[in-house]
């Protein structure tokens, strides 16, 4: 989340337009679509980039005007400026981290309670 926050702080906004929908097949054989978009950066050049998140049905339509953010030092790093386009990966990683941390905590707590019930110096019966 920190990386995305810093990237957002350093990036600048621009308007762009969706020029294509790129089909991508996932592991289950489903087809999802990533928007390819173009925008004109502050240096006057037109850049093309592809959205990082693919969806089905497509989140955008060809010809649709979109909000774009990019680093002035690296315009090809452009991303669509929409919540899930920017935050999907950090939210997914945070959610998985919270889930596994919680599961680990609950297992540790269960083991502690079991060892307290058995008393000091007792080994739990695993068989």
């Amino acid at each position: 989340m920190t990386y995305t926050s810093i990237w957002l702080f350093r990036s600048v906004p621009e308007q762009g337009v969706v020029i294509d929908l790129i089909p991508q097949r996932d592991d289950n054989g489903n087809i999802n679509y990533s928007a390819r978009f173009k925008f004109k950066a502050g240096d006057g050049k037109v850049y093309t980039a592809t959205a990082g998140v693919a969806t089905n049905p497509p989140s955008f339509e060809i010809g649709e005007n979109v909000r774009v953010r990019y680093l002035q030092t690296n315009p090809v790093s452009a991303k669509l400026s929409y919540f899930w386009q920017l935050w999907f990966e950090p939210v997914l990683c945070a959610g998985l981290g919270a889930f596994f941390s919680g599961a680990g905590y609950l297992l540790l707590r269960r083991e502690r309670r079991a060892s307290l019930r058995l008393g000091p110096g007792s080994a739990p019966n695993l068989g």
Side-chain angles (χ1 to χ4, degrees), residues 60-78:
F60 304 96
E61 295 178 7
I62 295 174
E64 181 177 348
N65 290 327
V66 289
R67 299 185 315 257
V68 176
R69 293 193 74 86
Y70 69 96
L71 297 175
Q72 289 179 324
T73 57
N74 186 16
V76 295
S77 71

Side-chain angles (χ1 to χ4, degrees), residues 79-103:
K79 298 179 182 182
L80 293 174
S81 186
Y82 297 91
F83 181 80
W84 286 114
Q85 293 289 327
L86 294 169
W87 294 102
F88 176 74
E89 291 173 355
V91 167
L92 177 66
C93 290
L96 287 172
F99 172 78
F100 286 110
S101 294

Side-chain angles (χ1 to χ4, degrees), residues 9 14 31 35 40-41 44 51 55 77 82 87-88 95 100-101 114 118 122:
F9 179 74
E14 191 58 69
I31 296 178
K40 190 173 190 177
T55 61
S77 71
Y82 297 91
W87 294 102
F88 176 74
F100 286 110
S101 294
L118 295 174
S122 301

Side-chain angles (χ1 to χ4, degrees), residues 43-65:
D43 62 5
K45 296 180 183 175
V46 176
Y47 294 91
T48 302
T50 303
V53 177
T55 61
N56 189 1
S59 298
F60 304 96
E61 295 178 7
I62 295 174
E64 181 177 348
N65 290 327

